[in-house]
Amino acid sequence: MSERSRRWWLDAVVYQVYLRSFADSDGDGIGDLRGLRARLDYLSHLGVDVVWITPFYPSPQVDNGYDISDHEAVDPLFGTEEDFDELVAEIHARGMKVMIDVVLNHTSDQHPWFLESRSSTTDSKRDWYIWRPPREGAVPGTPGAEPTNWLGFFAQPTWTYDEASGEYYLHLFSKEQPDLNWENREVREALYAMLRGWLARGVDGFRMDVINVISKRYPLIDVTADGPGTYADASGQYTSGPRLLEFLHELKAEVLDSAGKELLTVGEMPGATVEDALAVTGGPDPSLSMIFTFEHMDVDHAPGWAGRYEPKAFDLRQLKSVMARWQEGLAGTGWNSLYFGNHDQARVVSRFGSRDPRFSALSAKLLATVLHLHRGTPYIYQGDELGMRNYPFSSIQDFADVDAHNSWAYGLAAGTPPERLLAGLRQNGRDNARTPMQWDTSEHGGFTDGTPWLAVNPDTAVVNAAAQVDDEASVFSHYRRLIELRHQHAVVADGDYRLLAPDHEHLYAFDRTLGDERWVVAANFSDSPIELGTAQDAELDLALGRTPELVLTNYDVAHRNGEPGALRPWEARIYRIHS
C-alpha cells in the first residue's frame, strides 16, 4: 500500500497517559512529566508506538487541566519547559511518537483572553467568546433569565451571568470553561499559532478535545424542555455545526499540512455519526486521521439527562451491532479509532466484563482481544493493560470530578434518590478511570511517596505492574502479544471486517480477511461455556470446520489446533483459517 508508508498510524497502537495519575516524581501526590519519563521503558516494553499525554498546561484544575489558562506553557504542577522537551526527546529515542491533548473549543475563565473579554463590552477581545444579554423581561442572574435554556455536558445551565458587564457568557462545560467564538478569525489564528508552536517542539500529533462543538448553529435559540424555566439537552444546536468542516479544513491547511511530517490527528466528537466521521476522515483530502466516537460506549447507559449515571444492563448484541456498523461504514474510505477506555469512561472490565472476580483477568484479556482485532488504530488507556477495575466509592465525598458533583446536585434537585445517583456514579463515574496507576504493592501502589490526589484502588495488592510485567500469563503480556500481532500481520491492520453470529447473546465472533489470509475471532462474554457448533452461524461453523490454526487464546492452556471445542468462560480465541 503506497499510502501505508506515509500514514504510519495505520498499524500503530496508542497509549494514553492521564498525567496527574500516572507517576509522581516529587511526592506532591500528583503525576508529572518526570514521573512519566521514568516509566518510559515500561511503555517501550509493552510495545506501543505513540504516547498520548493529557493536558499539562497551566490551569486552575477545575476540570483536571481541560480548563486551560495558558495554551503555550507547562504548568509547574507537572514540571518545567525543559522537562517537557526532555520527555519528547526520550520518547523519540525509544522509537515512539508523542501526541498531546489540545482544547480548542474553550479556555479557563482565568485565561488572559477571557479576562480581557469580560473586562468591558467594548474590549477588543469581547468577541473572542460568546456573550449575550439576558432574556428579555427576565431578572438578570436568576434561573430562566439565561439567553437560552440549554443544559450543558456537566449537568448545568450553559450560561453564566457576569454582573460587571450585564451579560451572559456561553460554556458548554463548567462555568469556568467559557467557549471560544470560532466565528472570529482572530481566535482561529491565535489557536493555529499555538499549535504550530507545539509542532516546533517535536510533537507528532494532536488529540483535539470535543472538536465537533466548535461550530454553533446561529442564532442561538431555545430547545424543547419539560416545562417553563427548565433546561434541556441542546446538542443539536452545537454538535457538528454548519461550519465544522470548513474550520477543520482551514486548520489542516494552516497548520497540519505544513508540519513537514505525517501527523496523527484524532478529533473527539461526542454524538458523532458514521456520516460525520466519513465527512472528517474520508475522501481524498481528510481533515483528521480519525475521530473518537461515543456510540459504542453508551450501550450500557439509559437515555435522558442522566445518561451514563443511569446505567442499564449491558447487551452484547447492541455493542456488536454498533461496532460492526462503524467498521462497515468507514471501510475503504475513513478510519476507525478503537477504544474501550479513557479518562472519561469507567473501567471497561467493570462495565463489560464478568462480575465474578475469578474471571476478571480473563475478561480484561478478552476485551483487549476483541478490540485489537478490529480494523482501526487501538488506544490503550493506562492501567487497562493490567486489568485495572472500578474503585469502590462509598459516598459522593469520595469523588473529585466536577461532573460527578454537578450531576449529583442536579439529580438531587430533580428528585432522584441519593442511593440511585450514587449507584450510577459508582458504576460509570469518570473518577473510576482516574485513580492512580497501580505500579506495585507498596503504599499508594508505587504511584507517589506523598498523599495521592485521588485514592489508589485497594486492589493494587493483586492488580499491579510489578506482578505482571514478567508473567507470561498476565494481562500485560497478553496486551504485548496483541500489539505484536498488529505489527507483524497485515491482516490485523488492513483486513476487511465481517461480523459473525450477530444475534448470539454471549458470543462475539467476526472475521478479518486480506487477500487469501483469513482470521476468525471468537469470544465468550459469559460465565458459562459456549459450544461453537451451536452459534447458528453457517459461516462461522464452516470456518472452524476447516482445521483452523490457533493463533492466540487468553487462557493459559490452549486447545489443540483443529479441535475448537467449547469456548470456556470469558475465553477469546484467534484462528487462522486454511482453505
Side-chain angles (χ1 to χ4, degrees):
M1 177 193 289
S2 60
E3 289 291 288
R4 189 175 179 79
S5 60
R6 184 175 67 86
R7 296 182 176 176
W8 53 266
W9 38 263
L10 288 171
D11 56 3
V13 177
V14 184
Y15 188 96
Q16 182 187 356
V17 170
Y18 193 67
L19 191 60
R20 68 184 294 119
S21 295
F22 192 65
D24 173 25
S25 70
D26 57 12
D28 66 355
I30 297 173
D32 48 47
L33 296 170
R34 288 193 175 188
L36 169 55
R37 184 180 173 190
R39 296 290 186 174
L40 289 180
D41 286 342
Y42 170 85
L43 300 182
S44 180
H45 182 56
L46 181 59
V48 298
D49 305 283
V50 184
V51 181
W52 158 22
I53 309 171
T54 54
F56 48 81
Y57 318 100
S59 165
Q61 298 293 322
V62 171
D63 188 21
N64 285 4
Y66 286 87
D67 51 318
I68 298 171
S69 55
D70 183 352
H71 287 86
E72 301 182 79
V74 173
D75 194 321
L77 186 70
F78 300 118
T80 66
E81 302 291 327
E82 292 74 19
D83 288 335
F84 177 80
D85 292 334
E86 290 171 3
L87 174 64
V88 172
E90 291 282 353
I91 291 173
H92 285 163
R94 288 167 173 79
M96 298 182 290
K97 298 183 185 293
V98 182
M99 181 169 73
I100 62 172
D101 234 315
V102 290
V103 184
L104 305 180
N105 176 70
H106 50 266
T107 69
S108 164
D109 62 353
Q110 300 305 305
H111 197 292
W113 297 348
F114 187 72
L115 295 178
E116 289 184 50
S117 181
R118 78 185 311 174
S119 66
S120 167
T121 57
T122 59
D123 186 85
S124 61
K125 284 192 170 57
R126 185 69 170 184
D127 192 45
W128 281 43
Y129 295 83
I130 301 171
W131 292 90
R132 292 292 186 273
R135 191 181 297 270
E136 187 174 352
V139 178
T142 63
E146 298 91 351
T148 67
N149 64 344
W150 296 2
L151 184 72
F153 283 99
F154 290 167
Q156 83 294 307
T158 60
W159 297 93
T160 289
Y161 185 60
D162 179 59
E163 290 188 9
S165 64
E167 290 189 331
Y168 287 84
Y169 63 87
L170 179 70
H171 51 89
L172 298 182
F173 294 87
S174 74
K175 63 183 176 61
E176 295 86 0
Q177 294 170 286
D179 277 44
L180 288 161
N181 178 18
W182 268 69
E183 302 291 323
N184 187 322
R185 172 73 193 190
E186 291 181 346
V187 170
R188 306 200 301 274
E189 289 178 344
L191 293 173
Y192 299 161
M194 175 270 294
L195 294 175
R196 292 188 202 100
W198 289 111
L199 288 173
R201 294 179 71 168
V203 305
D204 304 292
F206 301 110
R207 180 264 188 185
M208 302 178 184
D209 189 64
V210 292
I211 195 64
N212 65 327
V213 303
I214 58 176
S215 172
K216 279 68 172 178
R217 287 180 169 81
Y218 293 94
L220 308 181
I221 60 175
D222 280 345
V223 293
T224 302
D226 293 335
T230 60
Y231 306 95
D233 174 23
S235 55
Q237 297 298 309
Y238 53 72
T239 299
S240 298
R243 299 190 69 187
L244 175 63
L245 297 182
E246 174 192 343
F247 290 153
L248 292 180
H249 280 302
E250 181 181 271
L251 185 156
K252 182 174 184 289
E254 296 273 348
V255 180
L256 309 180
D257 286 346
S258 59
K261 58 184 176 182
E262 178 72 13
L263 301 174
L264 170 57
T265 54
V266 55
E268 184 194 31
M269 294 180 57
T273 64
V274 172
E275 291 71 28
D276 293 330
L278 282 172
V280 172
T281 72
D285 187 29
S287 301
L288 302 176
S289 309
M290 63 197 75
I291 74 165
F292 284 147
T293 175
F294 284 67
E295 189 177 0
H296 68 299
M297 299 308 295
D298 290 338
V299 297
D300 60 345
H301 297 171
W305 78 267
R308 81 194 122 146
Y309 302 141
E310 285 283 344
K312 65 177 184 180
F314 169 58
D315 185 342
L316 177 65
R317 288 166 296 192
Q318 186 180 357
L319 177 65
K320 292 190 292 186
S321 174
V322 172
M323 295 288 283
R325 180 155 40 81
W326 280 81
Q327 288 283 297
E328 295 160 3
L330 299 185
T333 305
W335 191 251
N336 280 283
S337 64
L338 306 173
Y339 79 94
F340 279 155
N342 61 34
H343 64 288
D344 287 331
Q345 304 290 339
R347 289 291 178 179
V348 66
V349 175
S350 298
R351 293 177 66 180
F352 299 166
S354 177
R355 296 296 185 266
D356 187 330
R358 294 178 302 163
F359 302 128
S360 182
L362 286 168
S363 295
K365 296 177 186 179
L366 174 145
L367 289 162
T369 304
V370 167
L371 185 74
H372 282 243
L373 266 292
H374 278 70
R375 189 170 190 263
T377 299
Y379 289 74
I380 300 170
Y381 180 66
Q382 66 180 48
D384 281 351
E385 79 282 5
L386 303 176
M388 282 179 61
R389 298 173 287 199
N390 279 359
Y391 184 90
F393 294 104
S394 60
S395 73
I396 185 61
Q397 285 73 34
D398 292 340
F399 293 87
D401 182 22
V402 62
D403 185 27
H405 286 276
N406 281 4
S407 296
W408 175 265
Y410 193 87
L412 291 179
T416 307
E419 61 274 13
R420 185 169 147 196
L421 285 170
L422 184 59
L425 287 167
R426 186 184 291 120
Q427 173 63 18
N428 283 343
R430 300 194 302 177
D431 278 340
N432 283 298
R434 301 176 179 189
T435 59
M437 185 71 172
Q438 297 168 204
W439 293 106
D440 55 42
T441 60
S442 65
E443 187 178 17
H444 307 314
F447 164 69
T448 181
D449 293 331
T451 301
W453 74 276
L454 191 63
V456 177
N457 196 314
D459 72 1
T460 189
V462 293
V463 179
N464 63 78
Q468 294 195 32
V469 167
D470 296 322
D471 179 2
E472 286 301 308
S474 68
V475 178
F476 179 91
S477 293
H478 191 75
Y479 267 83
R480 285 194 68 205
R481 288 189 281 270
L482 289 169
I483 294 169
E484 289 172 357
L485 287 181
R486 176 166 293 270
H487 289 162
Q488 295 172 5
H489 300 277
V491 66
V492 179
D494 301 322
D496 293 334
Y497 172 95
R498 180 175 55 163
L499 181 65
L500 304 172
D503 298 323
H504 198 289
E505 185 178 5
H506 300 300
L507 177 65
Y508 199 150
F510 55 91
D511 68 10
R512 303 291 310 282
T513 56
L514 183 66
D516 295 333
E517 186 87 353
R518 183 185 181 195
W519 288 22
V520 169
V521 178
N524 176 8
F525 277 68
S526 78
D527 293 350
S528 303
I530 293 177
E531 289 290 343
L532 287 174
T534 65
Q536 297 182 339
D537 187 283
E539 280 291 337
L540 179 60
D541 292 343
L542 180 62
L544 297 182
R546 290 176 171 172
T547 315
E549 173 192 350
L550 184 65
V551 176
L552 185 66
T553 177
N554 61 335
Y555 267 73
D556 294 341
V557 181
H559 281 288
R560 289 178 296 167
N561 291 342
E563 294 184 11
L567 282 173
R568 289 162 286 190
W570 297 94
E571 182 174 16
R573 297 187 207 144
I574 305 170
Y575 285 109
R576 179 184 286 112
I577 307 301
H578 298 283
S579 298

